[in-house]
Amino acid sequence: MHSEFELITRYLAPAPTGTETGVALGVGDDCALLDPTPGERLVVSVDTSVADVHFPASAPPDAIGHRALAVSLSDLAAMGARARWCVMSLTLPEADGDWVAAFASGFHALCRTTGVVLTGGDVSRGELAVGVTVMGEVPPAAALTRAGARPGDYLAVTGCLGGGAGGLSRWWEGDRDLASPLLRRYLLPQPRLAAGVALRGLASSAIDISDGLLADLGHLRQASGGGAVLTPDALPLAEGLVKALGEQGARQAALRGGDDYELLVSLPPECLEEARHRLAALELPLTVIGHLTSEPGLSGVEASSPPGWQHFPGETP
């Protein structure tokens, strides 16, 4: 049995320091000391992942570690930010060193591939949960926000949709094959950080798809004003989704399922081809799924409430 300090020292530290990381002082003190790039704005977001709410408690611990960081980094991607640092709080029912080692392996692996440095955190006892705060940077005039879309702008999504919901469905049906594309889409989402940076100066608004396409489009519409027309037949469906859920089920997963962590963006028509060109260099498709209108409301799909995931369902805008 390890103490919380032993768990931090053995599995969650040390963090690299130095000029190239922007970390003057990392794990091991009361606070981290960070050196943001001069002239850039700091971008900060926090997410909490709770066992059997955001992920199955029985999922592989390395996947839980990857996923907890990925869903937070997805928010930075939606802002067009470059990811730099993170802090993490880990709540555990018991001090299981093997579990924490595997969890840390998945967390640190995604840190390495995205250039993020873990600079501090906390370990405590309780029901399994992971809180991750991520920090990034963006030039002051380059940040993508939910506001800014205009009537006539295209609505487009990166990658494909429905895989998160389809993968979760497969898990609860007993599929534990991590080679399954759908299961990997759910357990190991890939934050679209490079895509967010590539879309700077082109997208008029952006949001990541975490709660479901319709729900997140609602947030974007509310921030920008106006309405939207969707073309459901244009939705890019994840590999294996129709086979797993059927045509109708696949469309519903893409519209309302959530956990895709793709980017939903609005684009002036004259920016579409350049946006596709930039994302093609990342081997990532960009699919037009509708457009924005001056009239409020949403057309092209059947209304339902709630349109996607909500922790506390209430009135939906």
Side-chain angles (χ1 to χ4, degrees), residues 149-156 205 213-214 216-222 224-232 264-266 289-302:
R150 296 292 180 265
D153 285 357
Y154 289 131
L155 288 168
S205 67
L213 173 63
L214 292 185
D216 292 313
L217 174 57
H219 300 318
L220 189 149
R221 288 170 42 227
Q222 186 177 32
S224 297
V229 176
L230 283 185
T231 307
L264 168 65
V265 301
S266 61
I289 61 168
H291 65 274
L292 291 164
T293 66
S294 58
E295 296 298 321
L298 177 65
S299 60
V301 295
E302 183 179 347

Side-chain angles (χ1 to χ4, degrees), residues 164-202:
L168 181 59
S169 173
R170 299 303 301 162
W171 177 273
W172 291 128
E173 290 174 8
D175 184 356
R176 301 295 189 267
D177 181 7
L178 295 186
S180 162
L182 288 180
L183 208 53
R184 292 183 67 83
R185 290 276 301 178
Y186 175 73
L187 289 176
L188 300 170
Q190 301 301 312
R192 299 305 189 186
L193 289 161
V197 171
L199 290 169
R200 291 177 185 172
L202 298 176

Side-chain angles (χ1 to χ4, degrees), residues 59-88:
D62 57 336
I64 295 173
H66 171 106
R67 196 176 192 283
L69 177 58
V71 300
S72 288
L73 290 176
S74 184
D75 289 327
L76 294 187
M79 298 290 289
R82 178 170 70 104
R84 296 295 308 275
W85 312 286
C86 68
V87 294
M88 183 255 291

Side-chain angles (χ1 to χ4, degrees), residues 124-315:
S124 58
R125 183 175 182 175
E127 295 299 317
L128 179 60
V130 191
V132 181
T133 298
V134 291
M135 292 158 276
E137 297 175 333
V138 67
L144 305 177
T145 71
R146 296 180 183 185
R150 296 292 180 265
D153 285 357
Y154 289 131
L155 288 168
V157 294
T158 61
C160 57
L161 302 178
L168 181 59
S169 173
R170 299 303 301 162
W171 177 273
W172 291 128
E173 290 174 8
D175 184 356
R176 301 295 189 267
D177 181 7
L178 295 186
S180 162
L182 288 180
L183 208 53
R184 292 183 67 83
R185 290 276 301 178
Y186 175 73
L187 289 176
L188 300 170
Q190 301 301 312
R192 299 305 189 186
L193 289 161
V197 171
L199 290 169
R200 291 177 185 172
L202 298 176
S204 54
S205 67
I207 188 172
D208 74 317
I209 302 174
S210 56
D211 297 328
L213 173 63
L214 292 185
D216 292 313
L217 174 57
H219 300 318
L220 189 149
R221 288 170 42 227
Q222 186 177 32
S224 297
V229 176
L230 283 185
T231 307
D233 289 344
L235 297 179
L237 302 180
E239 178 185 354
L241 191 62
V242 173
K243 181 178 180 181
L245 302 181
E247 183 72 32
Q248 182 65 19
R251 296 289 174 192
Q252 291 304 307
L255 285 169
R256 298 177 169 87
D259 284 316
D260 284 318
Y261 301 101
E262 297 290 351
L263 300 183
L264 168 65
V265 301
S266 61
L267 289 158
E270 63 271 18
C271 294
L272 177 61
E273 288 310 310
E274 176 61 21
R276 281 178 164 162
H277 174 74
R278 292 184 188 182
L279 295 195
L282 304 174
E283 299 183 343
L284 186 65
L286 182 68
T287 305
V288 173
I289 61 168
H291 65 274
L292 291 164
T293 66
S294 58
E295 296 298 321
L298 177 65
S299 60
V301 295
E302 183 179 347
S304 70
S305 182
W309 170 257
Q310 296 181 41
H311 287 281
F312 302 103
E315 293 185 7

